């Protein structure tokens, strides 16, 4: 029961309502008994349609009654081969379900009944259904049932994607605050304007189109900066997906090997080997264990003790070969540290946007900054300007973007911990980027002076011999991947 | 005559504001216990099409409040037995109605709470559920062919509770279908591929992935952000951007965040305040929003969310299956839950 206000009524009013409801209950029960009797004796006739319609018009959620109406339709199809006659029952059902939708436009049963009717109808008119959706979306532009149904009938009616995109644009122009429309748009653009560049994770769409969309969405967002719909879309355009599946760290000595991935995966025995420059397999690493003993994991461990190999046997130029369809980089050159081989790639390294997009982002950042002068506590502007800075040049704007996140902890206190975690993530990204090129890799990782509230990217740290955590994070030290590479025992 | 003269939303009732900072524990127990005692009650009668779920909501809420013995175990189990369809093996919401995946899950959940799975033909249930899986991995809700991620959740929840996930359905395809409903914009899920993200369906899909030990497929930070943005200044949670808060979303959003290890991304105190403000301190029970009429559905999700937030005096609830944790432990089930970063 949703959205029904509790109202105080007089005794008299209550009594009157009670009597009225008692009559309704009686009528409902009588109709249900009659319907069940008729169903048992296979009387799937006009009277059945009438009886079920009386209840469904008041309460379209009684799914059994819709089932019975479909049985009626099936019966007629069985009885007659005349397509016109068949079509008539389907038309009746379409009209009836539309009547019910007027009573409750959010009835799962009702929308599904329409799908079933059209799928079984000899002459479905899909274009008419698209128009029906347009009409219903005028009444409620956020009804997700209507949007779902629209996507289904648009496909059936072979409506070009471009014209659906135009429909979206119209809807958004009428009302910017329409997350449903932005969502529909987000499905069409990657298909109409696919991204073909190198950036990982892939951009949402071609950079040319991306620039147009960025312009459009910021206009929308600035029209009402407190409305979240457009800001979500903006963040998607800027790109905030998790990293694509990839190897992020590897280390191997004559005792064991540790292999870390950007995201958890299920590692297969035949996936990994160490090869030389000619591509000859030196060691097949077949017996991997999830370090946390889970089905999928982002750190995998391999013990060489059974078929021990001495360091001398590692080739001068060694490669890690990964043979999986879901990982793009198949052959990774390994570095040497003392008597071990290793590889490390810091997380979320940025791939610069094209010049045009960058200019657009820069001008958006300026707009945000000037808006913040008037409304310094505007949550969405603060967050978006931090995200813009991060997208333009995370290194250059590092401190400034963190200042915004700190301010957000106060102006949007409900989500204080979200901003703290996001800041921790950015801090660690920067730290690991520097670590990658430092002398300390892979020997020592000293995070003690970093202002971290959470430990993201813990899998990246598995190759370090010595790991120094900040005081507030020492409770993480029991994590398997943080035991230190050289002393790790499975 | 203007009948709104009599309208007086309880939000402006000053008595309410003060007393609603506490949980009206016994009022809620009474509310649930009395639900359905008057068989001729209009609301009760008009909701018979979901009776099985109604019973599950009441049974679970009472068990979480440690008052399960207030309901008559035997008559409930007898009712459930009468609702199992002898032909398909699925459960109807009540006698005279057709079986459906939704009510089959509710029936199995109640039986698990009562430790009474032996009372029904479980093999027939397994056949019913696995028979509804489609080639693409999705599930029909019943033989009439509606496809929805809710039914994917129901299917794996039923099979998990019965201990029959292995070898009955194609789990790999089931996972693939659910992931095809994941949206790139916000990391959330809708009812079918391309459908807009919605907190209720996100719960179903996150719960599904938790039961199939596949949470690694989620973009946790993206989805977690969208979910924590559901919290509004009132402390309540909504189901989609720019919508009103609703107590049932306290459950859908909160359980998803819990499973994903991101419960700390919202303000628990503010949410508690909101949930408590939705109690009806006269009749007991929770409404969707402050000042509205209570019902049994929102009562479970109010109580359930308070339990997830560690409210004193309530038994712990399992975020994936929305059942008392001790029942899940008794069955030896371990739905996947992710740690905090």
């Amino acid at each position: 029961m949703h959205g029904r206000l509790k109202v105080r009524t007089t005794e008299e009013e209550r009594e009157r309502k009670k009597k009225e409801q008692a009559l309704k209950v009686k009528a409902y029960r009588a109709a249900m008994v009659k319907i069940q009797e008729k169903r048992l004796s296979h009387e799937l006739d006009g009277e059945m349609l009438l009886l079920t319609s009386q209840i469904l018009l008041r309460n379209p959620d009684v799914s059994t009654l819709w089932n019975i109406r479909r049985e009626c339709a099936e019966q007629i199809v069985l009885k007659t081969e005349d397509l016109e006659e068949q079509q008539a029952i389907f038309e009746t059902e379409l009209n009836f379900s539309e009547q019910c939708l007027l009573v409750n436009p959010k009835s799962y049963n009702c929308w599904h009944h329409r799908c079933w009717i059209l799928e079984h109808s000899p002459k479905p008119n899909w274009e008419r259904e698209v128009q029906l959706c347009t009409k219903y979306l005028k009444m409620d532009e956020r009804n997700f049932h209507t949007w779902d149904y629209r996507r289904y009938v648009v496909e059936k009616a072979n409506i070009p994607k471009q014209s659906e995109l135009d429909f979206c644009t119209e809807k958004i122009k009428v009302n910017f605050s329409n997350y449903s429309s932005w969502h529909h748009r987000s499905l069409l653009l990657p298909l109409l304007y696919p991204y073909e560049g190198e950036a990982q994770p892939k951009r949402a769409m071609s950079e040319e189109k991306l620039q147009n969309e960025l312009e459009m969405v910021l206009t929308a967002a600035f029209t009402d900066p407190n409305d979240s719909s457009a800001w979500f879309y903006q963040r998607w355009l800027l790109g905030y997906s998790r990293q694509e599946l990839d190897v992020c760290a590897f280390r191997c000595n004559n005792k064991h090997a540790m292999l870390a991935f950007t995201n958890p995966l299920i590692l297969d025995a035949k996936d990994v080997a160490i090869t030389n420059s000619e591509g000859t397999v030196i060691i097949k690493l077949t017996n991997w264990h999830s370090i946390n003993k889970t089905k999928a994991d982002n750190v995998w461990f391999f013990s060489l003790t059974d078929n021990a190999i001495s360091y001398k046997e590692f080739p001068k130029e060694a490669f890690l070969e990964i043979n999986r369809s879901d990982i793009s980089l198949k052959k990774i050159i390994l570095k040497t540290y003392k008597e071990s081989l290793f590889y490390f790639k810091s997380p979320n390294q940025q791939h610069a946007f094209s010049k045009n997009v960058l200019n657009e982002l820069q001008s958006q950042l300026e707009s945000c900054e000037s808006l913040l002068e008037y409304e310094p506590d505007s949550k969405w502007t603060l967050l978006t300007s931090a995200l813009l800075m991060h997208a333009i040049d995370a290194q250059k704007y590092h401190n400034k973007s963190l200042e915004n996140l700190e301010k957000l902890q106060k102006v949007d206190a409900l989500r204080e911990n979200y901003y703290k975690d996001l800041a921790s993530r950015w801090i660690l990204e920067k730290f690991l980027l520097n670590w990658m090129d430092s002398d300390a890799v892979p020997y020592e990782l000293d995070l003690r002076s970093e202002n971290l509230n959470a430990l993201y990217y813990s899998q990246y740290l598995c190759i370090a011999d010595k790991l120094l955590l900040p005081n507030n994070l020492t409770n993480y030290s029991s994590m398997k991947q943080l035991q230190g590479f050289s002393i790790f025992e499975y | 005559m203007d009948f709104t003269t009599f309208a007086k939303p309880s939000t402006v009732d000053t008595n309410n504001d003060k007393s609603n900072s506490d949980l009206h524990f016994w009022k809620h127990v009474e509310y649930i216990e009395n639900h359905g005692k008057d068989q001729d009650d209009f609301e009760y009668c008009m909701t018979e099409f979901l009776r099985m779920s109604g019973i599950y909501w009441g049974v679970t809420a009472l068990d979480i409040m440690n008052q399960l013995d207030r309901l008559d175990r035997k008559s409930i189990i007898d009712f459930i037995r009468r609702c199992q369809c002898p032909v398909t093996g699925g459960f109807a919401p009540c006698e005279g109605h057709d079986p459906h995946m939704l009510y089959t899950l509710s029936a199995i959940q109640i039986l698990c709470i009562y430790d009474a799975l032996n009372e029904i033909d479980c093999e027939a249930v397994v056949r019913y559920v696995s028979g509804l899986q489609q080639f693409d991995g999705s599930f029909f809700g019943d033989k009439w062919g509606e496809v929805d991620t809710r039914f994917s959740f129901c299917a794996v929840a039923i099979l998990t509770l019965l201990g029959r996930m292995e070898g009955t359905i194609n789990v790999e395809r089931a996972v693939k279908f659910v992931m095809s409903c994941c949206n790139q914009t916000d990391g959330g899920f809708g009812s079918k591929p391309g459908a807009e993200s919605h907190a209720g369906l996100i719960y179903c899909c996150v719960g599904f992935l938790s039961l199939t030990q596949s949470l690694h497929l989620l973009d946790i930070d993206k989805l977690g952000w969208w979910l924590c943005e559901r919290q509004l200044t009132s402390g309540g949670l909504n189901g989609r951007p720019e919508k009103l808060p609703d107590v049932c979303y306290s459950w859908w959003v909160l359980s998803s965040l819990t499973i994903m290890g991101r419960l700390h991304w919202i303000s628990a105190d503010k949410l508690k305040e909101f949930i408590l403000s939705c109690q009806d301190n006269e009749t007991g029970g929770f409404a969707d929003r402050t000042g509205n009429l209570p019902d049994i559905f929102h009562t479970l999700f109010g109580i359930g969310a308070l339990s997830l937030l560690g409210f004193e005096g309530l038994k712990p609830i399992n975020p994936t299956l929305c059942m008392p944790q001790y029942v899940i432990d008794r069955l030896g089930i371990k739905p996947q839950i992710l740690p905090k970063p």
Side-chain angles (χ1 to χ4, degrees):
Chain A
M1 191 187 306
H2 284 102
R4 292 193 7 187
L5 197 67
K6 181 168 175 167
V7 290
R8 305 243 178 257
T9 49
T10 58
E11 192 63 34
E12 202 182 345
E13 178 79 4
R14 254 202 309 276
E15 274 308 306
R16 194 186 61 74
K17 203 171 172 197
K18 223 175 165 181
K19 274 189 193 146
E20 206 181 280
Q21 289 185 334
L23 284 176
K24 280 185 192 162
V25 166
K26 218 172 143 189
Y28 169 78
R29 288 209 172 124
M32 283 304 274
V33 168
K34 180 89 188 161
I35 287 167
Q36 278 152 10
E37 281 170 5
K38 282 176 75 74
R39 195 185 196 190
L40 281 174
S41 51
H42 302 287
E43 291 170 38
L44 299 165
D45 52 14
E47 190 192 25
M48 188 65 126
L49 290 179
L50 188 67
L51 285 165
T52 51
S53 70
Q54 282 162 356
I55 299 176
L56 287 173
L57 275 171
R58 286 173 191 279
N59 193 352
D61 290 328
V62 189
S63 50
T64 302
L65 300 182
W66 290 106
N67 299 346
I68 293 172
R69 292 185 77 93
R70 286 189 285 266
E71 285 169 4
C72 292
E74 284 180 336
Q75 179 90 345
I76 287 174
V77 172
L78 277 178
K79 272 191 189 152
T80 171
E81 278 180 14
D82 179 7
L83 287 186
E84 291 302 318
E85 236 176 283
Q86 286 187 11
Q87 188 63 27
I89 175 84
F90 291 116
E91 289 298 327
T92 309
E93 288 308 285
L94 283 181
N95 290 335
F96 175 67
S97 68
E98 197 177 341
Q99 273 179 290
C100 291
L101 282 177
L102 286 171
V103 179
N104 180 6
K106 294 182 176 176
S107 164
Y108 280 99
N109 284 317
C110 218
W111 287 106
H112 174 246
H113 190 66
R114 269 189 109 73
C115 297
W116 189 92
I117 290 299
L118 288 160
E119 292 283 353
H120 290 77
S121 168
K123 284 184 277 177
N125 184 344
W126 299 108
E127 284 80 12
R128 189 177 65 186
E129 297 305 300
V130 177
Q131 282 153 22
L132 177 107
C133 291
T134 305
K135 184 172 115 190
Y136 271 74
L137 287 175
K138 268 191 194 133
M139 298 192 283
D140 178 0
E141 58 193 10
R142 292 297 307 278
N143 186 342
F144 68 82
H145 298 275
T146 321
W147 281 104
D148 287 351
Y149 188 69
R150 183 180 183 93
R151 280 182 278 271
Y152 160 72
V153 294
V154 154
E155 181 93 19
K156 292 279 185 186
N158 280 321
I159 307 279
K161 291 197 165 49
Q162 185 60 50
S163 86
E164 270 305 276
L165 186 66
D166 296 342
F167 172 76
C168 262
T169 312
E170 284 308 308
K171 282 256 118 204
I172 290 169
K173 274 186 190 157
V174 173
N175 182 6
F176 286 134
S177 172
N178 188 343
Y179 194 82
S180 306
S181 252
W182 291 110
H183 165 73
H184 193 55
R185 203 173 174 78
S186 78
L187 299 172
L188 297 164
L189 286 166
L191 300 172
L192 285 166
Y193 306 93
Y195 175 72
E196 274 150 9
E198 307 264 292
Q200 300 260 3
K202 265 170 67 170
R203 308 253 192 258
M205 63 200 77
S206 74
E207 295 220 357
E208 206 179 7
K209 192 67 197 169
L210 192 69
Q211 191 191 339
N212 296 339
E213 288 296 297
L214 281 164
E215 281 171 36
M216 176 176 166
V217 78
L218 201 71
T219 316
F222 279 167
T223 307
D224 177 7
N226 293 320
D227 184 276
S228 65
S229 316
W231 294 115
F232 279 107
Y233 189 75
Q234 158 95 354
R235 190 164 187 187
W236 174 64
L237 293 176
L238 291 177
Y240 70 130
S241 295
R242 69 174 181 172
Q243 301 181 82
E244 310 248 326
L245 187 60
D246 200 356
V247 176
C248 61
F250 171 77
R251 196 162 167 204
C252 171
N253 62 15
N254 58 359
K255 285 205 196 79
H256 60 268
M258 204 91 89
L259 178 57
F261 296 90
T262 49
N263 302 318
L265 54 74
I266 302 163
L267 193 62
D268 212 48
K270 55 186 187 307
D271 289 348
V272 194
I274 292 177
T275 62
N276 63 17
S277 51
E278 279 101 53
T280 313
V281 174
I282 306 299
I283 318 165
K284 259 199 137 95
L285 304 171
T286 48
N287 196 18
W288 290 99
H289 304 278
S290 142
I291 199 168
N292 296 302
K293 304 191 162 124
T294 49
K295 184 175 123 189
D297 204 342
N298 51 17
V299 185
W300 292 79
F301 169 80
F302 177 87
S303 174
L304 286 163
T305 42
D306 301 334
N307 48 343
I309 176 163
S310 72
Y311 175 66
K312 280 176 226 129
E313 289 172 68
F314 285 146
K316 244 198 178 128
E317 262 194 320
F319 297 85
L320 185 70
E321 274 202 17
I322 306 275
N323 185 22
R324 281 176 71 101
S325 59
D326 51 2
I327 290 182
S328 51
L329 189 62
K330 306 285 180 205
K331 201 167 176 185
I332 295 162
I333 186 152
L334 296 172
K335 289 185 181 171
T336 308
Y337 173 76
K338 288 193 177 162
E339 301 209 324
S340 69
L341 299 170
F342 78 97
Y343 168 77
F344 184 81
K345 188 184 172 207
S346 75
N348 261 337
Q349 289 183 29
Q350 281 180 308
H351 188 93
F353 282 100
S354 68
K355 210 175 152 209
N356 287 342
V357 175
L358 268 180
N359 286 342
E360 175 62 29
L361 296 180
Q362 199 72 50
S363 95
Q364 296 206 346
L365 180 58
E366 280 156 28
S367 308
C368 282
E369 299 286 302
S370 25
L371 189 66
L372 283 170
E373 278 174 33
Y374 296 99
E375 291 180 52
D377 289 345
S378 164
K379 168 203 162 160
W380 288 104
T381 321
L382 275 168
L383 178 60
T384 303
S385 89
L387 298 171
L388 284 165
M389 288 189 259
H390 197 73
I392 295 167
D393 189 338
Q395 297 297 308
K396 180 178 154 197
Y397 290 111
H398 184 69
N399 292 335
K400 223 174 151 220
S401 56
L402 290 183
E403 275 168 31
N404 278 21
L405 294 186
E406 203 164 318
K407 184 139 195 225
L408 279 161
Q409 290 168 35
K410 290 191 191 73
V411 302
D412 188 21
L414 292 173
R415 282 161 281 273
E416 181 190 358
N417 287 323
Y418 171 73
Y419 300 115
K420 282 187 178 168
D421 284 2
L422 183 58
S424 300
R425 194 144 67 88
W426 286 358
I427 290 169
L428 198 58
E429 279 173 16
K430 183 170 188 279
F431 182 92
L432 291 176
L433 186 67
N434 293 333
W435 189 66
M436 183 169 74
D437 298 320
S438 75
D439 296 338
V441 63
Y443 172 66
E444 184 186 82
L445 214 147
D446 187 355
L447 292 166
R448 282 176 301 179
S449 55
E450 300 300 315
N451 183 16
L452 298 176
N453 276 285
L455 194 64
Y456 276 87
Y457 305 120
S458 61
Q459 76 271 31
Y460 285 74
L461 316 182
C462 71
I463 62 162
D465 290 310
K466 195 169 155 197
L467 185 67
L468 301 160
L469 292 173
N471 279 334
N472 61 325
L473 294 185
T474 44
N475 56 329
Y476 285 84
S477 59
S478 61
M479 284 174 90
K480 282 272 185 187
Q481 55 265 50
L482 306 184
Q483 303 292 299
F485 177 76
S486 55
I487 56 161
F488 181 82
E489 275 173 37
Y490 185 66
Chain B
M1 188 178 137
D2 176 12
F3 90 102
T4 53
T5 321
F6 300 107
K8 191 180 170 199
S10 48
T11 30
V12 293
D13 189 337
T14 45
N15 290 332
N16 268 8
D17 286 348
K18 217 171 179 183
S19 51
N20 262 10
S21 56
D22 296 321
L23 179 66
H24 295 301
F25 190 93
W26 296 109
K27 287 255 183 205
H28 299 315
V29 172
E30 203 185 327
Y31 176 81
I32 301 165
E33 196 185 348
N34 288 337
H35 182 75
K37 279 215 171 133
D38 176 10
Q39 298 274 325
D40 290 332
D41 176 69
F42 178 70
E43 291 298 340
Y44 187 77
C45 179
M46 287 305 150
T47 52
E48 70 166 16
F49 68 89
L50 50 68
R51 181 71 63 244
M52 190 66 78
S53 296
I55 297 173
Y56 153 72
W57 297 326
V59 163
T60 307
L62 279 183
D63 198 5
I64 292 296
M65 299 171 89
N66 205 16
Q67 299 294 321
L68 186 56
D69 53 6
R70 286 173 182 263
L71 298 178
D72 183 28
R73 179 182 191 271
K74 190 176 174 299
S75 66
I76 290 177
I77 293 175
D78 286 345
F79 170 79
I80 296 176
R81 288 164 56 112
R82 292 199 301 274
C83 289
Q84 187 168 25
C85 169
V87 182
T88 61
F91 285 84
C94 65
E95 288 161 278
H97 288 242
D98 293 347
H100 194 282
M101 188 80 98
L102 292 169
Y103 309 110
T104 305
L105 174 58
S106 295
I108 297 300
Q109 285 173 308
I110 303 164
L111 291 170
C112 285
I113 291 173
Y114 280 129
D115 202 6
L117 281 175
N118 57 335
E119 299 276 353
I120 53 134
D121 183 354
C122 291
E123 276 314 302
V125 179
V126 173
R127 278 198 302 277
Y128 178 70
V129 171
S130 55
L132 288 171
Q133 189 174 30
Q134 304 306 300
F135 183 75
D136 66 357
S138 67
F139 285 86
F140 284 176
D142 63 12
K143 68 170 186 168
W144 295 102
E146 188 183 3
V147 166
D148 193 305
T149 45
R150 286 178 300 156
F151 311 143
S152 296
F153 172 77
C154 290
V156 298
I158 293 165
L159 294 174
T160 302
L161 290 168
L162 295 177
R164 294 297 310 277
M165 272 269 271
E166 298 275 322
T168 50
I169 55 165
N170 187 326
V171 177
E172 205 183 315
R173 284 211 186 122
V175 171
K176 216 169 169 186
F177 175 76
V178 166
M179 288 314 294
S180 75
C181 302
C182 182
N183 290 312
Q184 283 310 302
T185 32
D186 48 36
F189 295 81
S191 61
K192 41 181 83 65
E196 181 185 343
S197 297
H198 177 287
L201 297 152
I202 289 172
Y203 161 77
C204 289
C205 294
V206 170
F208 170 96
L209 296 170
S210 158
L211 291 170
T212 52
Q213 310 290 317
S214 306
L215 290 174
H216 61 283
L217 300 171
L218 283 177
D219 195 335
I220 300 284
D221 284 309
K222 194 193 255 188
L223 176 55
W225 178 59
W226 190 86
L227 284 170
C228 78
E229 280 292 342
R230 298 303 103 242
Q231 189 163 37
L232 307 170
T233 37
S234 66
L237 304 167
N238 62 12
R240 290 190 287 157
E242 305 305 322
K243 289 279 186 181
L244 292 170
D246 183 327
V247 162
C248 65
Y249 292 111
S250 305
W251 177 262
W252 314 124
V253 175
L254 204 62
S255 57
S256 303
L257 284 171
T258 307
I259 295 168
M260 291 160 52
R262 298 295 187 276
L263 184 60
H264 63 296
W265 281 3
I266 59 153
S267 163
D269 288 340
K270 291 284 287 181
L271 177 58
K272 244 183 248 179
E273 256 174 54
F274 173 79
I275 296 172
L276 291 173
S277 80
C278 297
Q279 302 178 93
D280 191 313
N281 61 7
E282 291 169 342
T283 59
F286 288 76
D288 57 347
R289 273 188 284 288
T290 320
N292 283 354
L293 282 167
D295 62 71
I296 191 97
F297 171 82
H298 289 93
T299 303
L300 168 65
F301 293 123
I303 299 276
L306 290 175
S307 163
L308 272 188
L309 294 170
F311 206 88
E312 219 177 300
L314 300 176
K315 289 186 195 170
I317 194 164
N318 181 275
T320 304
L321 287 155
C322 194
M323 291 163 68
Q325 184 59 43
Y326 82 91
V327 176
I328 303 306
D329 293 341
R330 186 170 66 201
L331 290 162
I333 298 168
K334 288 194 178 65
Q336 192 185 4
I337 289 189
L338 296 177
K340 256 172 83 167

